[in-house]
């Protein structure tokens, strides 16, 4: 019954008309808040939403507040602790960092003798060699808190954020001292301020402020501060000199790619919890993986284990490892329909690479030839050295250019025309030729002068090397001369050995993939039967 009705007159009226009134009391069971919620619920939700949106967007003040706070991840000494036992194959770097661990554990021992504990250690080395891992192991060994931050995270659009984040990070670390601050990808902010093309990098101001803040913090350490800053970079050559001054990152530790023994040690670490078949020899596996770094080897073990699982093996076998390695090195096989014509073209193209590789002194031995498409390639010829190579002699570099040209040269010899299949070959060999002329001093006309930047790409940057237009023209001429000479050599080699090329191509069309022994047999080439290198230069 509506409360506003005049109940007295209404009930009198009802009685007079003999209406049967079946009135029920209002449902008082529902608590007061329920009706409140039902009535005001949408409004409350709306207000909450508004609050949330405001927090997210917020005023500029708010924005800096949340974004500026250090996003450092902190690893406690417990938890997924990494120790030196997890790091292998980079013993020199490990030895140097053992000292850092000792500083963190017994700072008073060093201070008593008046020594100044180093504040900055810079780990430099190629990607995947274990720099991040090593830094975490130092923290694990020292049982010290570990504050980690990737430098690329600093570089954000809003100026001032990076610097305030650095300030927070160091403040937290000092409170937790002895502690480690780890700045990964240091080159992202620590690039030399003189190099680089001005006006191209938008975040320059921000980078510089962040960098300056790091330098200020490190300068502010006194001898009582037991905070050690570990930086890591793949590009030590581009770092700002200011970072490397005494009192800053003055200890430099090179993390080198592992040698054969080192790779074996790394494989041992990563197969600790993997059941291995009796035929698996980690030493032999290490020997077949020259050039691979820790991250590659960890990936190899993982791929092999996945492959073994897919094949319902009880243990991981040698075959699982070799197949996983092939997948990683050559790419996964791909199903594509190829016309007979395309297959023939591919067989001759790959056959050309292989024959030139087999018959050229100084070329790496051919390990596998295949016309099964993988990744973007329609076929593949895989050549690899017997063991680790740290240095290539000039004839060997020429041989690589020649082998890269072998595919295209075979197409010219057999079909009298060329396809687009040689694109990546051409890119690769041009790069090698440019490096020969411009970096390795293998051109008499240029001499031992570095005229292209280290990574060999892009236009010449100011400050890298002063090269006159005449020299630049000479470089281009020399690159062209080197490549043309190699092209000429590859063509005549294949013309003279057309029979070998034909029989290898036919074997490929029949079997699709040939291993080292089969490939040499099919081509009718004795190993060691090689032309004396005619200097292409
Ligand atoms: P980086 O920081 O040098 O690029 P990471 O430390 O990130 O390399 O390495 C990635 C992964 O590769 C590590 O987590 C580890 O599993 C493996 N790894 C790399 N180097 C080693 C090594 N020397 N010993 C054992 N594992 C390694
Ligand atoms: Mg890293
Ligand atoms: Zn090719």
């Amino acid at each position: 019954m509506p409360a506003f009705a005049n109940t007295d007159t209404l009930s009198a009226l009802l009685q007079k008309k003999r209406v049967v009134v079946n009135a029920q009391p209002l449902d008082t069971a529902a608590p007061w808040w329920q009706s409140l919620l039902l009535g005001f619920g949408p409004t409350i939700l709306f207000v909450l939403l508004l609050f949330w949106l405001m927090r997210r967007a917020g005023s500029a003040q708010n924005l800096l507040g949340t974004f500026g706070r250090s996003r450092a991840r902190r690893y406690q000494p417990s938890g997924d602790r990494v120790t030196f036992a997890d790091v292998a194959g980079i013993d020199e770097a490990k030895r140097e960092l053992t000292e850092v661990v000792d500083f963190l554990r017994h700072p008073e021992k060093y201070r008593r003798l008046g020594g100044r504990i180093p504040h900055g250690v810079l780990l430099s080395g190629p990607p995947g060699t274990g720099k991040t891992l090593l830094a975490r192991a130092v923290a694990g060994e020292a049982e010290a808190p570990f504050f980690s931050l990737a430098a690329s995270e600093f570089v954000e659009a809003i100026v001032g954020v990076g610097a305030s984040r650095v300030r927070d990070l160091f403040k937290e670390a000092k409170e937790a001292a002895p502690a480690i601050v780890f700045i990964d990808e240091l080159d992202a902010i620590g690039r030399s301020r003189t190099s680089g093309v001005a006006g191209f990098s938008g975040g320059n101001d921000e980078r510089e402020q962040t960098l300056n803040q790091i330098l200020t913090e490190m300068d502010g350490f006194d001898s009582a501060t037991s905070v050690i800053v570990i930086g890591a970079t793949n590009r030590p050559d581009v770092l700002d000199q200011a970072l490397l001054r005494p009192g800053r990152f003055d200890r430099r530790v090179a993390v080198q790619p592992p040698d054969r023994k080192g790779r074996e040690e790394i494989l041992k670490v990563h197969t600790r919890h993997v059941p291995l078949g009796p035929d698996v020899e980690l030493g032999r596996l290490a020997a077949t993986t020259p050039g691979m770094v820790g991250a590659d080897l960890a990936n190899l073990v993982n791929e092999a284990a996945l492959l073994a699982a897919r094949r319902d093996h009880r243990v991981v076998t040698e075959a699982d490892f070799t197949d996983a390695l092939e997948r990683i090195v050559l790419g996964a096989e791909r199903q594509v329909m190829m016309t007979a014509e395309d297959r023939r073209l591919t067989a001759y193209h790959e056959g050309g690479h292989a024959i030139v590789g087999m018959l050229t002194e100084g070329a790496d031995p051919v390990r596998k030839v295949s016309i099964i498409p993988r990744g973007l390639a329609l076929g593949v010829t895989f050549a690899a050295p017997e063991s680790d190579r740290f240095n290539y002699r000039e004839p060997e570099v020429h041989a690589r250019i020649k082998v890269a040209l072998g595919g295209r040269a075979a197409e010219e010899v057999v079909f009298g025309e060329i396809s687009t299949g040689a694109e990546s070959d051409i890119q690769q060999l041009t790069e090698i030729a440019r490096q020969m002329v411009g970096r390795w001093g293998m051109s008499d006309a240029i001499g031992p002068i570095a005229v292209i930047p280290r990574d060999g790409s892009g236009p010449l940057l100011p400050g890298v090397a002063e090269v006159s237009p005449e020299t630049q023209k000479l470089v281009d001429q020399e690159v062209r001369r080197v490549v043309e000479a190699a092209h000429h050599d590859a063509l005549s080699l294949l013309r003279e050995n057309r029979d070998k090329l034909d029989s290898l191509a036919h074997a490929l069309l029949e079997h699709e993939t040939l291993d080292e022994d089969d490939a040499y047999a099919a081509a009718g080439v004795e190993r060691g039967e090689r032309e004396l290198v005619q200097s292409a230069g």
Side-chain angles (χ1 to χ4, degrees):
M1 204 187 293
F4 50 81
N6 188 333
T7 46
D8 283 356
T9 43
L10 182 62
S11 40
L13 190 68
L14 287 173
Q15 263 169 15
K16 200 169 126 199
K17 299 282 181 191
R18 313 212 165 172
V19 177
V20 179
V21 180
N22 247 333
Q24 279 184 349
L26 270 171
D27 187 4
T28 50
W32 60 272
W33 54 264
Q34 191 173 325
S35 54
L36 202 73
L37 208 67
L38 280 176
F40 292 102
T43 320
I44 294 174
L45 267 182
F46 181 72
V47 171
L48 283 180
L49 187 77
L50 215 69
F51 262 106
W52 183 70
L53 281 176
M54 269 166 60
R55 274 188 56 131
R56 264 186 37 144
S59 60
Q61 189 57 47
N62 240 330
L63 206 75
L64 284 178
T66 43
F67 275 84
R69 209 163 298 138
S70 140
R71 247 194 251 149
R73 281 148 287 160
R74 176 173 170 170
Y75 297 99
Q76 289 299 336
S78 56
D80 58 340
R81 187 165 157 238
V82 176
T83 66
F84 279 154
D86 299 306
V87 187
I90 43 176
D91 294 338
E92 271 167 68
K94 230 161 102 175
R95 208 171 312 128
E96 298 223 26
L97 287 176
T98 310
E99 214 181 65
V100 172
V101 170
D102 210 38
F103 288 143
L104 285 167
R105 277 196 168 165
H106 315 287
E108 55 314 319
K109 179 168 108 190
Y110 293 89
R111 269 191 221 115
R112 209 176 44 225
L113 298 176
R116 191 175 51 84
I117 290 178
H119 289 145
V121 179
L122 182 64
L123 302 176
S124 63
T129 44
K131 299 180 294 296
T132 307
L133 187 72
L134 203 52
R136 293 190 58 190
V138 169
E141 292 284 335
E143 308 205 330
F146 180 70
F147 297 87
S148 142
L149 206 54
S152 55
E153 288 175 34
F154 284 127
V155 187
E156 289 196 5
I158 312 152
V159 176
V161 169
S164 85
R165 211 182 267 174
V166 169
R167 217 174 300 125
D168 275 356
L169 176 67
F170 278 85
K171 189 160 153 276
E172 273 183 66
K174 274 188 232 166
E175 280 162 10
I180 291 173
V181 171
F182 178 53
I183 305 177
D184 213 349
E185 304 154 44
L186 189 62
D187 49 288
I189 39 169
R191 260 169 199 276
S192 162
R193 281 170 276 200
T194 53
S195 85
V197 185
F200 266 113
S201 32
N204 244 342
D205 274 357
E206 177 57 10
R207 260 193 358 178
E208 210 154 296
Q209 286 197 19
T210 311
L211 178 59
N212 284 337
Q213 189 63 40
I214 291 178
L215 297 180
T216 311
E217 293 288 348
M218 291 183 79
D219 289 344
F221 286 170
D222 50 37
S223 53
T225 321
S226 356
V227 174
I228 294 187
V229 187
I230 301 181
T233 179
N234 309 328
R235 303 287 313 274
D237 51 317
V238 301
L239 283 188
D240 201 302
Q241 285 305 310
L243 274 170
L244 307 176
R245 280 220 298 269
R248 295 171 178 171
F249 289 100
D250 49 0
R251 289 229 169 182
R252 264 169 282 167
V253 177
V255 184
Q256 308 276 12
D259 58 7
R260 196 192 56 69
K261 192 88 195 81
R263 289 194 300 274
E264 187 178 342
E265 298 297 322
I266 295 174
L267 285 168
K268 257 188 213 149
V269 166
H270 286 280
T271 51
R272 269 186 309 205
H273 306 298
V274 177
L276 297 179
D279 57 346
V280 176
E281 264 180 53
L282 295 182
R284 195 171 52 210
L285 197 56
T288 56
T289 50
M292 283 196 166
V293 295
D296 300 327
L297 295 168
N299 183 32
L300 171 62
V301 171
N302 188 48
E303 286 284 326
L306 291 179
L307 209 54
R310 203 175 311 139
R311 294 167 170 176
D312 290 324
H313 289 174
R314 255 185 334 102
V315 290
V316 184
T317 64
E318 167 86 16
D320 296 326
F321 272 107
T322 46
D323 291 348
L325 183 61
E326 188 166 297
R327 247 188 100 120
I328 291 170
V329 175
L330 306 181
E333 291 180 1
R334 197 165 49 107
Q335 295 286 336
V336 281
M337 283 304 294
M338 288 219 287
T339 62
E341 213 176 324
D342 276 343
R343 282 188 82 230
R344 213 169 100 81
L345 190 78
T346 308
Y348 271 102
H349 181 101
E350 298 307 331
H353 284 305
I355 294 287
V356 175
M358 290 174 186
L359 294 178
T360 302
E361 182 79 35
D364 290 332
V366 173
R367 306 293 186 184
K368 192 174 205 97
V369 197
S370 164
I371 56 166
I372 298 175
R374 290 167 189 270
L376 288 177
L378 291 180
V380 64
T381 302
F382 179 56
E386 303 285 357
S387 58
D388 296 12
R389 298 300 306 268
F390 298 105
N391 195 7
Y392 281 86
R393 289 176 298 117
E394 188 175 347
E396 293 164 338
V397 183
H398 276 296
R400 289 188 65 174
I401 296 180
K402 226 164 106 176
V403 172
L405 278 164
R408 180 194 148 105
E411 291 182 36
E412 284 174 76
V413 168
V414 177
F415 303 99
E417 55 184 29
I418 45 174
S419 71
T420 54
E423 183 182 336
S424 70
D425 295 339
I426 290 173
Q427 225 162 35
Q428 190 194 349
L429 70 92
T430 310
E431 192 50 43
I432 299 174
R434 264 172 59 83
Q435 308 253 27
M436 280 183 78
V437 173
R439 275 188 57 201
W440 300 331
M442 290 179 179
S443 145
D444 290 338
I446 301 292
I449 297 171
V451 291
I452 59 172
R454 252 193 105 171
D455 55 6
S457 64
L460 292 170
L461 299 176
V464 170
E466 292 297 335
V467 177
S468 65
E470 293 83 56
T471 310
Q472 188 57 52
K473 206 167 151 200
L474 200 57
V475 169
D476 293 344
Q477 276 172 10
E478 280 293 287
V479 169
R480 184 172 293 280
R481 194 179 58 80
V482 166
V483 173
E484 273 173 3
H487 186 203
H488 177 265
D489 285 356
L491 277 176
S492 53
L493 182 70
L494 288 175
R495 286 209 181 92
E496 283 161 26
N497 295 282
R498 176 67 195 262
D499 52 334
K500 296 190 167 90
L501 177 61
D502 283 336
S503 56
L504 181 58
H506 289 141
L508 276 172
L509 285 170
E510 191 180 336
H511 301 290
E512 296 202 311
T513 297
L514 297 173
D515 283 334
E516 182 167 357
D517 291 341
D518 296 336
Y520 278 88
V525 177
E526 295 283 325
R527 253 161 292 187
E529 171 195 335
R530 287 178 158 181
E531 277 203 338
L532 273 180
V533 157
Q534 299 172 349
S535 171

